[in-house]
Amino acid sequence: MPTDAEGLTKERVLEAYRTVLQARALDDRRFVLNRAGKLAFIISPRGHEVAQVGAIAALQPGRDRFCLYYRNFAAALACGFTPEELMLAAFARAADPSSGGRQTPGNFGSRRRGVVIGSSTVGPQIPKAAGIGLALQWRGEGALCYVSFGEGATSQGDFHEGLNFAAIHHCPVIFFCENNHWAISVPQALQVAGPGVAERAAAYGIPGVRVRGDDFFAVHAAVAEAAQRARSGGGPTLIEAEVLRLQSHSTDDDQRAYRDPAELAAEALQDPIPRMRDALITRGWLSPEADQAMRDDVNREVEKATEAAEAAPEPEPASLGRHVYADA
Ligand SMILES: Cc1ncc(C[n+]2csc(CCOP(=O)(O)OP(=O)(O)O)c2C)c(N)n1
């Protein structure tokens, strides 16, 4: 069975590619449902999918802990969430496993998968991950905590406190920055001085790595190396995956109002999914026919997930205070 240096088998890579396709198909469907007035608000992972799945594929959902952020729909699928579960959250249904339809759909939580629920606030998952890393170190399970965020989050105090703490205590944490160069309408240059986020690692005395986020194998290799370091007591790593934001920040934003049209047109031609498909075809792991069959299968799955979630019951009005106030 063919493998690469990190022990990736053809089957595992094709499974990861299917997850990437699922994330994109779900996003397309959610966007249509938003335009049809059925879903209130969408945050899109478009352009980030390959980086997110490449990272999680190097880790161990169920053993490791994951502090994800609101753009991590592909990462959530890679952690084991199903398309139907993500659609239940999108429709704010009672059976949404993350919050029973109470939180923004991008706030993922699943105890059995080790996914720690967050909030829509930018940054607080970072120091939380440092603390979880310390607890994992004390327990000595060999597990690690993965935390993701955008480059905008790296100008929050939370980022600096979290990295400093994790570095001092050698916590088994992977800090994964998905740098799409925009924080809503604020460009990278107004968030980060110098070439990028990876250089900031030097201030905390930990390794900082920059990787192309459209290269599945490069992202996987960087995260696998960081995981090996974390599990063997070598402490945290900061990884910066350079990605493109191929949609506006959210459906409540229109990036054409503040971005250069030529740049947007050029980025639209750099979708990472065809790049991953071509890499798999070049390796002889995928054929155009198998690709199409997989896409058709994923589209059917997303259609079924949508129908099931739309038909599912809403939360009981009497349960409004659950998770807000202590149950009497
Ligand atoms: C503390 C805080 N400040 C501001 C906001 C509003 N806000 C939501 S997302 C966002 C941009 C974050 O950009 P980045 O971290 O680069 O991630 P991206 O959304 O680009 O993936 C902002 C400013 C917020 N949710 N929380």
Side-chain angles (χ1 to χ4, degrees):
M1 195 179 295
T3 61
D4 74 359
E6 292 81 43
L8 271 176
T9 62
K10 171 184 164 184
E11 284 67 31
R12 289 196 59 211
V13 176
L14 287 178
E15 191 187 315
Y17 179 62
R18 192 176 190 284
T19 305
V20 164
L21 294 181
Q22 272 180 331
R24 181 62 62 88
L26 267 172
D27 192 54
D28 286 343
R29 197 75 187 93
R30 293 187 318 140
F31 197 77
V32 170
L33 291 164
N34 169 266
R35 297 292 117 162
K38 291 191 173 186
L39 301 185
F41 171 68
I42 300 296
I43 296 180
S44 171
R46 189 171 288 255
H48 291 228
E49 300 97 329
V50 168
Q52 291 177 12
V53 177
I56 305 294
L59 303 174
Q60 298 176 23
R63 180 188 189 200
D64 296 327
R65 310 297 195 275
F66 299 86
C67 295
L68 304 179
Y69 85 113
Y70 50 77
R71 206 173 289 288
N72 279 169
F73 285 85
L77 288 166
C79 284
F81 279 82
T82 66
E84 184 173 330
E85 287 176 330
L86 297 185
M87 274 298 181
L88 284 165
F91 279 103
R93 297 308 196 228
D96 155 34
S98 294
S99 70
R102 286 158 169 77
Q103 281 237 42
T104 298
N107 293 337
F108 312 96
S110 170
R111 183 183 287 265
R112 72 190 165 87
R113 296 170 181 132
V115 178
V116 182
I117 190 109
S119 74
S120 306
T121 317
V122 169
Q125 73 274 28
I126 302 172
K128 199 194 283 179
I132 292 171
L134 187 67
L136 293 172
Q137 185 193 71
W138 285 346
R139 287 186 183 183
E141 294 170 7
L144 60 83
C145 186
Y146 168 92
V147 57
S148 51
F149 45 87
E151 83 289 349
T154 72
S155 47
Q156 296 284 113
D158 282 351
F159 172 82
H160 302 286
E161 293 177 31
L163 267 78
N164 191 47
F165 185 93
I168 288 169
H169 297 287
H170 309 290
C171 300
V173 180
I174 299 177
F175 296 98
F176 191 78
C177 177
E178 300 177 25
N179 182 358
N180 63 22
H181 312 291
W182 290 88
I184 312 185
S185 57
V186 180
Q188 176 179 332
L190 294 181
Q191 299 280 0
V192 187
V197 173
E199 285 72 13
R200 293 186 165 187
Y204 308 104
I206 65 172
V209 181
R210 183 176 296 113
V211 66
R212 279 187 69 135
D214 62 351
D215 184 336
F216 175 86
F217 294 98
V219 173
H220 187 277
V223 175
E225 189 183 330
Q228 208 269 335
R229 181 177 301 119
R231 294 193 208 285
S232 60
T237 304
L238 172 63
I239 298 173
E240 175 185 12
E242 289 202 282
V243 294
L244 297 176
R245 192 184 77 187
L246 296 179
Q247 267 289 1
S248 297
H249 173 76
S250 73
T251 44
D252 287 357
D253 174 43
D254 183 352
Q255 61 181 347
R256 291 172 301 182
Y258 54 83
R259 292 195 59 185
D260 174 9
E263 191 181 274
L264 283 177
E267 288 188 5
L269 300 175
Q270 297 170 54
D271 188 334
I273 297 185
R275 183 182 155 95
M276 183 171 180
R277 178 197 60 209
D278 292 348
L280 299 187
I281 289 175
T282 303
R283 285 184 179 222
W285 288 3
L286 185 70
S287 66
E289 296 74 26
D291 179 40
Q292 192 53 53
M294 204 185 276
R295 285 166 190 264
D296 292 344
D297 186 48
V298 161
N299 285 337
R300 278 192 295 272
E301 186 184 14
V302 167
E303 204 45 55
K304 268 179 65 183
T306 306
E307 282 169 18
E310 197 171 5
E314 295 188 339
E316 284 293 327
S319 71
L320 189 66
R322 190 182 300 156
H323 308 310
V324 179
Y325 301 107
D327 291 328

